[in-house]
Amino acid sequence: RESRGAPEDYREWWRRQLEQSPIEGSGSGIVIREDGYILTNTHVVKGADKITVRFKDGRRYPTTIRGIDPQSEVAVVKIEAKSLVTAKIGDSSKTRVGEFAIAIGAPFELDYSATFGHISALGRSEIFSQAEMIDQNFFQTDASINPGNSGGPLINIEGEVIGINTIIRGIGTGVGFAIPSNFAMKVAEQLIEKGRYVRSWIGLEVTDFGEFPKMSDFTGGVSDGV
């Protein structure tokens, strides 16, 4: 945008520079199997030419994508390693609003940062605007999440992973969203076994009747329900 009005040869040179310069990104992940399977977000790894996993002790591993599922934002990558320490996965269905929550990741490349907060809400949907993102049932948390936290764990006070940090609503706002661990693991297991997640579709959406008061004109005065 800043090159508008510049000579065409300059703009062409700038385009070539952008095309030739590699773009690097970073994110977080969770070891879910001791033989090298790591859970993260789709947007952390999708489209990457090269992925490297780095552990806290400095070990680095070349990485392959086992499977991605853009509709849920869940991805699994694989490294060639054995006897890895795995995360303790909790039962996210037991999570309640007001519980303590701790986000761990690498915000702004500050490795192994832990931020503390609460579960602010359950069942948040329509957070992503992309049409392909259909599975949205996020935990909302005020534990600080920033770029680099994506794919990292949201844990409870017992150290159990209850969510996968995925997206924020503005930096520093205290409004972040995590995929519940039960669903993330369900997707991950299929990605590991099949390389893709298979879902059914019945073409039916349930909506609170109260959001469409004019519908009562067609229902004989009924004003409550779905």
Side-chain angles (χ1 to χ4, degrees):
R1 290 191 297 271
E2 294 176 356
S3 67
R4 288 173 182 167
E8 176 60 31
D9 56 349
Y10 168 78
R11 285 184 288 171
E12 180 60 31
W13 174 86
W14 188 243
R15 280 195 292 267
R16 289 198 302 270
Q17 295 301 308
L18 291 176
E19 291 172 358
Q20 295 170 6
S21 300
I23 299 173
E24 295 185 358
S26 64
S28 303
I30 304 164
V31 177
I32 55 173
R33 291 196 184 183
E34 63 179 17
D35 57 347
Y37 287 99
I38 298 171
L39 176 62
T40 187
N41 280 150
T42 293
H43 72 266
V44 172
V45 298
K46 185 178 180 181
D49 296 314
K50 179 182 178 181
I51 304 169
T52 300
V53 165
R54 176 169 54 84
F55 286 90
K56 190 174 184 179
D57 60 9
R59 288 176 297 163
R60 292 174 178 267
Y61 293 89
T63 309
T64 58
I65 297 175
R66 175 55 188 162
I68 63 174
D69 182 54
Q71 294 174 314
S72 65
E73 257 297 310
V74 172
V76 173
V77 298
K78 178 71 167 63
I79 63 175
E80 294 303 319
K82 301 292 183 182
S83 303
L84 296 176
V85 178
T86 60
K88 185 178 181 181
I89 309 298
D91 182 356
S92 59
S93 68
K94 296 180 179 179
T95 303
R96 298 292 180 265
V97 172
E99 287 187 17
F100 293 133
I102 303 166
I104 301 176
F108 303 108
E109 300 185 1
L110 298 170
D111 294 351
Y112 298 96
S113 297
T115 54
F116 180 80
H118 306 81
I119 297 296
S120 304
L122 307 175
R124 292 299 196 200
S125 60
E126 299 181 5
I127 304 303
F128 277 92
S129 59
Q130 294 96 322
E132 66 177 4
M133 178 65 182
I134 64 171
D135 287 322
Q136 300 190 49
N137 184 30
F138 294 103
F139 289 158
Q140 180 183 329
T141 181
D142 60 359
S144 185
I145 297 174
N146 288 291
N149 277 110
S150 292
L154 186 71
I155 66 176
N156 60 20
I157 203 69
E158 304 297 331
E160 300 169 328
V161 178
I162 56 173
I164 312 302
N165 300 319
T166 300
I167 193 172
I168 55 177
R169 182 65 62 84
I171 295 177
T173 62
V175 181
F177 302 93
I179 304 168
S181 59
N182 286 8
F183 179 62
M185 289 299 296
K186 178 182 177 182
V187 176
E189 287 168 3
Q190 278 204 29
L191 292 179
I192 292 171
E193 299 302 323
K194 302 178 180 180
R196 64 192 182 99
Y197 181 65
V198 179
R199 49 176 55 78
S200 57
W201 183 265
I202 59 173
L204 189 68
E205 181 178 2
V206 179
T207 306
D208 185 350
F209 189 86
E211 295 181 14
F212 300 95
K214 291 185 178 181
M215 288 297 294
S216 61
D217 296 340
F218 303 97
T219 57
V222 175
S223 60
D224 195 21
V226 295

